[in-house]
Amino acid sequence: MEIYTKKQALKVYLSKIKTQNKSIGFVPTMGALHKGHISLIQKAKKNNAIVVASIFVNPTQFNNKEDLEKYPKTLDKDIELLKKVKCDVLFYPSVEEIYSNSVKSESYDFDGLEYEMEGKFRHGHFNGVGTIVKTLFDIVKPNKAYFGEKDFQQLQIIKKLVKKEHLDVSIQSCEIYREDDGLAMSSRNARLTIEHRNAAPFIYKVLKEVKQKFKTEKISVINNWVTNEFKNHTNLELEYFTIADEKTLKTAEVKENDKKYRAFIAVFAGKIRLIDNIKLKLS
Ligand code: PAF
């Protein structure tokens, strides 16, 4: 595996690949890789001649200083994992390499997607994501880029970014990868205490019940049920639960036959914030 820390050197390497008409698959990450990331790399390997992964803990998308400082870093292990799945190139730049002297986000208009759910609790987060993803796309110029559905709002926002900025890349989504007990895989899971780790599968258990209830119950009834499920939980604190239209991400109050819905949830397990979502069906 080739490892690059400088964008110019990576660009030169990839421009040679481009002239050979080979397709480039790109998997941007913040490291602390888990099986979910690896499944993205494997999918990218299947559909492209060359796969580039990036590891960059992007400061502008963190709205919580402690979350940024304590974000898990496991570079040696990550490199081993990437080599094992035959990832071709790793881009591992420094903050200076990406942002020079100005660690700031661009301001984007994502047609309102950015104000829903995560946007209400993580101010500026999606401007940070938009900024880094656009920057990385400009450097790597991938044909296809791969993102997980755990961050479903991020995925929709990146699709919007590509459309609005007329970027020549196809966004590929991949289903949520879960631990055996149902907890959605996330780099932040590594920071959970044993107590909170044991409690966390409750989130997916609730989402699975929501999926069942959605077929027969009113949305307001489901919302109240979820709030109550978390009310007396000793280790988990509900930040938000919402059933939303997959396309607009706007909270749904009533079900409409021609729309697609998903349930979205954010929960604090101690200081660690976990998010998850599930696709819903009307019948
Ligand atoms: O999903 C992530 O890990 C990050 O938000 C991303 C897309 C790599 C941008 O920093």
Side-chain angles (χ1 to χ4, degrees):
M1 184 172 68
E2 306 276 336
I3 302 181
Y4 288 91
T5 55
K6 300 287 180 207
K7 54 189 174 198
Q8 198 45 41
L10 176 64
K11 276 184 184 175
V12 169
Y13 175 82
L14 291 176
S15 66
K16 282 185 205 139
I17 307 276
K18 281 259 166 199
T19 55
Q20 294 164 17
N21 253 337
K22 286 184 179 165
S23 131
I24 299 176
F26 181 41
V27 182
T29 82
M30 298 204 297
L33 301 182
H34 51 67
K35 285 185 196 150
H37 293 117
I38 297 305
S39 75
L40 298 181
I41 307 265
Q42 282 166 333
K43 195 167 172 184
K45 281 289 293 180
K46 263 191 203 145
N47 299 314
N48 301 278
I50 288 279
V51 174
V52 180
S54 63
I55 295 180
F56 180 67
V57 182
N58 173 36
T60 64
Q61 73 186 75
F62 285 80
N63 55 320
N64 176 323
K65 210 173 154 230
E66 190 179 339
D67 192 25
L68 171 61
E69 279 164 9
K70 299 212 170 138
Y71 199 83
K73 288 175 193 72
T74 55
L75 184 65
D76 292 345
K77 199 173 143 233
D78 291 352
I79 290 176
E80 282 316 305
L81 282 172
L82 290 172
K83 282 184 179 165
K84 224 185 220 173
V85 286
K86 300 195 163 38
C87 179
D88 301 285
V89 180
L90 168 64
F91 182 42
Y92 175 64
S94 65
V95 172
E96 297 73 46
E97 180 68 11
I98 294 293
Y99 285 103
S100 304
N101 301 322
S102 171
V103 187
K104 275 197 206 125
S105 307
E106 296 292 320
S107 229
Y108 290 101
D109 173 3
F110 296 119
D111 291 345
L113 292 178
E114 69 275 37
Y115 301 124
E116 305 299 329
M117 303 184 299
E118 292 295 285
K120 292 184 184 145
F121 296 91
R122 304 189 66 190
H123 295 288
H125 169 66
F126 289 118
N127 276 333
V129 170
T131 303
I132 187 61
V133 170
K134 169 113 190 342
T135 305
L136 292 170
F137 282 177
D138 286 345
I139 298 167
V140 177
K141 298 195 172 38
N143 300 82
K144 294 190 169 88
Y146 296 78
F147 296 87
E149 285 186 348
K150 185 178 77 67
D151 298 294
F152 192 84
Q153 187 171 11
Q154 166 174 283
L155 175 65
Q156 298 297 69
I157 280 180
I158 290 168
K159 284 183 184 164
K160 183 70 81 178
L161 174 83
V162 166
K163 210 168 166 192
K164 288 205 143 188
E165 302 280 323
H166 309 289
L167 307 177
D168 190 15
V169 49
S170 155
I171 302 302
Q172 309 286 313
S173 61
C174 304
E175 277 182 21
I176 299 175
Y177 220 84
R178 298 184 181 280
E179 301 287 354
D180 289 343
D181 58 16
L183 176 64
M185 288 200 186
S186 162
S187 305
R188 289 186 178 87
N189 292 353
R191 292 189 53 212
L192 292 167
T193 63
I194 291 174
E195 224 178 4
H196 291 125
R197 174 65 189 81
N198 290 339
F202 184 72
I203 301 166
Y204 184 52
K205 192 170 159 269
V206 166
L207 286 183
K208 277 196 298 188
E209 273 190 63
V210 165
K211 192 177 173 92
Q212 278 311 314
K213 287 183 189 293
F214 190 72
K215 293 176 184 165
T216 52
E217 308 266 4
K218 282 186 179 166
I219 291 179
S220 58
V221 173
I222 301 174
N223 289 343
N224 288 337
W225 177 78
V226 173
T227 308
N228 273 323
E229 283 297 291
F230 282 93
K231 212 171 229 163
N232 300 317
H233 204 293
T234 35
N235 287 310
L236 302 175
E237 194 192 326
L238 181 65
E239 184 174 53
Y240 69 77
F241 168 79
T242 185
I243 291 176
D245 180 320
E246 263 197 14
K247 219 167 147 199
T248 62
L249 302 180
K250 290 212 180 304
T251 295
E253 318 254 302
V254 289
K255 304 177 203 172
E256 289 173 54
N257 281 331
D258 56 338
K259 289 194 173 153
K260 287 186 176 164
Y261 296 100
R262 241 171 221 265
F264 296 88
I265 194 163
V267 171
F268 274 99
K271 285 184 173 177
I272 310 305
R273 189 171 179 279
L274 301 172
I275 60 170
D276 201 348
N277 67 78
I278 197 165
K279 195 172 176 58
L280 303 175
K281 286 194 190 125
L282 287 160
S283 56

